C-alpha cells in the first residue's frame, strides 16, 4: 500500500476540479488533498482513483464520487471534535474524510463483508473512527446519540425518524431522498429545537439504495 508523489499530484488536480464544481469549504478540500483514495479501491481501479467518479467496491456497493463526498461533507459544517454519525461506511473513504476534518466519527454498515474489510483497512491507514458498527443504519446509534451531524451515504425512500431524534439542537442531517431507481434529492435538515426541523431540498444525486435489515 503506497502513497507516492504521483498520487499527491493527482489529488491536487482533483481538488482543483472540486473547486471548479463549487466546493469552497477549506477543511473539506484539505481532507481530499490528504486522504489516499486509491487505497480505498481495488488495485485494478488505482489508475482512475482520482477521477471524479464512483466505482464498485464489492458486495454490489460503490465508493461515492469525490464531488458527492465533498458536497455532503460541506453541508455538514463539520467543526473539530464534532460527533458525526455516518450511515453506510462502505469503503471507508467518507469516514476518512470526516476523520481528516477532525470529527469524532461513528459509522454504521449493514454488509458484513464491507464492515469487516473496512474495519481492517482504516487503522492500517492511521484512520481512527470512534466507533464502527455492523447493523441497520435506519436505527442510527441511539447508545451514542446525540450527534452534531449525521450523513447518510445511500439513497433513502424517506427520512428515518430515529436519525432525526438523534440529532442535537442546531445539528444537521444530510440525506439523499428518493424512490429506488430514480435520482435522489439531497435533503438538509437543521434541527431548530426539540420538535422543529428546517428542511432544504438541494441538487439531484444518484446513490445505491439504503436497505432495511431483513434479518
Ligand atoms: N460512504 C461510502 C459509500 C458506500 S455506498 C463510501 O465512501 O465508500 C453506501 C453504503 O451504505 C453501502 O456500503 C451499503 O452497504 C450501505 N448501506 C445500505 N443500507 C444500509 C443500512 N440500512 N444501514 C447501514 N448501511 C447501509
Amino acid at each position: 500500500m503506497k502513497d507516492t508523489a504521483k498520487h499527491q499530484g493527482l489529488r491536487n488536480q482533483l481538488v482543483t476540479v472540486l473547486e471548479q464544481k463549487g466546493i469552497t469549504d477549506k477543511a473539506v478540500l484539505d481532507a481530499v488533498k490528504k486522504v489516499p483514495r486509491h487505497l480505498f479501491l481495488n488495485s485494478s481501479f488505482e489508475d482512475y482513483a482520482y477521477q471524479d467518479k464512483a466505482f464498485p467496491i464489492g458486495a454490489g456497493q460503490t465508493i461515492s464520487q469525490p464531488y458527492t463526498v465533498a458536497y455532503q461533507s460541506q453541508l455538514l459544517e463539520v467543526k473539530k471534535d464534532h460527533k458525526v454519525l455516518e450511515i453506510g461506511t462502505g469503503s471507508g473513504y467518507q469516514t476518512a474524510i470526516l476523520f481528516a476534518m477532525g470529527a469524532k466519527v461513528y459509522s454504521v454498515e449493514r454488509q458484513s463483508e464491507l464492515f469487516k474489510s473496512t474495519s481492517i483497512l482504516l487503522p492500517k491507514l492511521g484512520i481512527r473512527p470512534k466507533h464502527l458498527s455492523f447493523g441497520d443504519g435506519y436505527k442510527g446509534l441511539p447508545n451514542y446519540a446525540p450527534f452534531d451531524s449525521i450523513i447518510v451515504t445511500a439513497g433513502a425512500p424517506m427520512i428515518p425518524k430515529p436519525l432525526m431524534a438523534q440529532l442535537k439542537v442546531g445539528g444537521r442531517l444530510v440525506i439523499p431522498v428518493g424512490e429506488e431507481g430514480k435520482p435522489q434529492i439531497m435533503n438538509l435538515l437543521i434541527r431548530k429545537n426539540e420538535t422543529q426541523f428546517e428542511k432544504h431540498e438541494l441538487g439531484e444525486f444518484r446513490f445505491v439504495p439504503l436497505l432495511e435489515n431483513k434479518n
Side-chain angles (χ1 to χ4, degrees):
M1 292 209 294
K2 273 199 304 190
D3 188 30
T4 65
K6 184 186 125 201
H7 294 118
Q8 185 60 63
L10 293 170
R11 279 202 291 282
N12 295 345
Q13 284 174 21
L14 174 59
V15 166
T16 307
V17 169
L18 298 179
E19 283 175 321
Q20 283 163 357
K21 291 187 177 177
I23 304 296
T24 52
D25 184 331
K26 193 169 176 308
V28 173
L29 296 168
D30 283 349
V32 173
K33 220 174 258 183
K34 212 157 124 187
V35 178
R37 187 173 188 250
H38 63 286
L39 301 180
F40 292 79
L41 289 166
N42 184 295
S43 56
S44 55
F45 293 111
E46 179 172 342
D47 290 350
Y48 312 104
Y50 296 103
Q51 295 184 1
D52 190 18
K53 287 188 182 148
F55 292 104
I57 53 172
Q61 305 305 324
T62 54
I63 181 172
S64 299
Q65 184 184 340
Y67 173 71
T68 305
V69 171
Y71 184 81
Q72 287 193 282
S73 301
Q74 177 163 287
L75 285 177
L76 294 176
E77 297 191 350
V78 176
K79 304 277 181 301
K80 203 174 158 7
D81 289 333
H82 265 188
K83 266 174 78 179
V84 181
L85 172 63
E86 176 190 26
I87 307 300
T89 318
S91 68
Y93 178 69
Q94 172 76 68
T95 319
I97 292 288
L98 295 169
F99 178 79
M101 291 173 75
K104 295 178 178 151
V105 192
Y106 298 73
S107 189
V108 186
E109 173 57 54
R110 75 178 282 283
Q111 291 268 2
S112 62
E113 188 187 318
L114 285 171
F115 170 72
K116 284 183 201 146
S117 56
T118 300
S119 301
I120 294 169
L121 175 71
L122 290 175
K124 273 194 197 160
L125 301 177
I127 295 152
R128 287 173 292 275
K130 278 277 166 197
H131 185 69
L132 293 179
S133 176
F134 173 57
D136 182 8
Y138 271 94
K139 301 188 178 79
L141 282 183
N143 295 343
Y144 297 90
F147 297 96
D148 291 290
S149 58
I150 302 178
I151 172 172
V152 180
T153 71
M158 42 66 185
I159 302 174
K161 289 265 154 48
L163 299 186
M164 293 170 68
Q166 290 170 33
L167 206 56
K168 284 185 192 173
V169 170
R172 300 161 81 85
L173 167 61
V174 175
I175 176 169
V177 183
E179 286 170 42
E180 209 175 320
K182 289 193 184 161
Q184 292 88 32
I185 307 294
M186 195 64 75
N187 276 233
L188 165 65
L189 258 70
I190 304 173
R191 185 164 202 170
K192 291 290 156 194
N193 53 46
E194 277 306 307
T195 54
Q196 286 172 309
F197 293 80
E198 181 183 294
K199 184 166 150 174
H200 302 262
E201 292 189 354
L202 305 162
E204 277 193 5
F205 290 83
R206 272 190 187 274
F207 284 84
V208 294
L210 186 71
L211 301 171
E212 283 210 67
N213 244 4
K214 304 202 171 65
N215 304 336

